[in-house]
Amino acid sequence: GAGVSQTPSNKVTEKGKYVELRCDPISGHTALYWYRQSLGQGPEFLIYFQGTGAADDSGLPNDRFFAVRPEGSVSTLKIQRTERGDSAVYLCASSLNPGLVNEQFFGPGTRLTVL
Amino acid sequence: AQSVSQHNHHVILSEAASLELGCNYSYGGTVNLFWYVQYPGQHLQLLLKYFSGDPLVKGIKGFEAEFIKSKFSFNLRKPSVQWSDTAEYFCAVSPWGADGLTFGKGTHLIIQP
């Protein structure tokens, strides 16, 4: 079956612009996670959804970052007034149920470049 | 907040050599521990995980890891590596009851044929 998909695979934007990154989780997975991976670093947790609600958004760096999952499936990560420091690979993961007993399956990521 | 330290950022080994990648974490409470691998051009995938019970955990492709609570460590081992083990390896931790993972910076492993 299909894994986690993310679009676009690459996004280049200019400083100050608004971007949206999309994640399509594995069908039936209720938990969805966003991570950010900067060059030479491990993934950094941003936000976790259980169904439609954000169960933990403690990793969002500031109020320019926002994520939604209106129907409990696809999620969109939104970044306002982008800055050069936002350049990174944004990873999405999903798992069957909440709780770490269930493996998180990662997507290929969206590489965001802010010029 | 918890943190994860991976001591070796780059490791180069010959085929059939034994492997041990270090991972230490800082957190005072109960944790769940993971090793993820990213092969060239592929997604992150789970190698193995520890939640409770036997501290020696076996994963896919002949990998294993040992949780030593007193040392806050979760080192990854493989007795004999293969060229196909060339990849980036990440250790990750999550406090009990939380769902987001905290990752280390990763270790880039290169196996020379």
Side-chain angles (χ1 to χ4, degrees), chain A residues 35 41-42 99-101 104 106, chain B residues 43 49 51 94 98-99 101 104:
Chain A
Y35 294 83
Q41 305 292 319
L100 290 168
V101 176
Q104 292 185 26
F106 282 81
Chain B
H43 311 173
K49 59 188 177 187
F51 289 107
S94 184
D99 284 85
L101 299 172

Side-chain angles (χ1 to χ4, degrees), chain A residues 56-75:
Chain A
D56 182 358
D57 64 358
S58 62
L60 294 177
N62 51 59
D63 61 6
R64 294 188 297 106
F65 288 75
F66 188 71
V68 296
R69 195 185 184 199
E71 297 178 357
S73 178
V74 170
S75 176

Side-chain angles (χ1 to χ4, degrees), chain A residues 15 21 36 56 63 70-71 75 78 86 95-96 98 105 114:
Chain A
K15 180 175 177 294
L21 311 178
R36 175 172 71 174
D56 182 358
D63 61 6
E71 297 178 357
S75 176
K78 307 180 181 194
D86 298 335
S95 68
L96 186 58
F105 293 85
V114 182

Side-chain angles (χ1 to χ4, degrees), chain B residues 32-100:
Chain B
N32 303 305
L33 297 155
F34 307 80
W35 275 96
Y36 277 82
V37 62
Q38 187 166 26
Y39 298 104
Q42 296 188 25
H43 311 173
L44 271 170
Q45 59 183 280
L46 184 67
L47 262 183
L48 47 79
K49 59 188 177 187
Y50 171 81
F51 289 107
S52 63
D54 188 343
L56 184 62
V57 179
K58 296 202 182 293
I60 61 171
K61 305 188 180 186
F63 286 91
E64 65 178 31
E66 185 175 11
F67 171 49
I68 303 180
K69 189 175 180 180
S70 61
K71 295 184 178 180
F72 297 89
S73 70
F74 190 55
N75 293 353
L76 182 71
R77 301 195 293 246
K78 186 171 183 178
S80 176
V81 294
Q82 301 172 306
W83 177 79
S84 58
D85 293 325
T86 294
E88 189 89 20
Y89 292 80
F90 294 94
C91 181
V93 64
S94 184
W96 187 259
D99 284 85

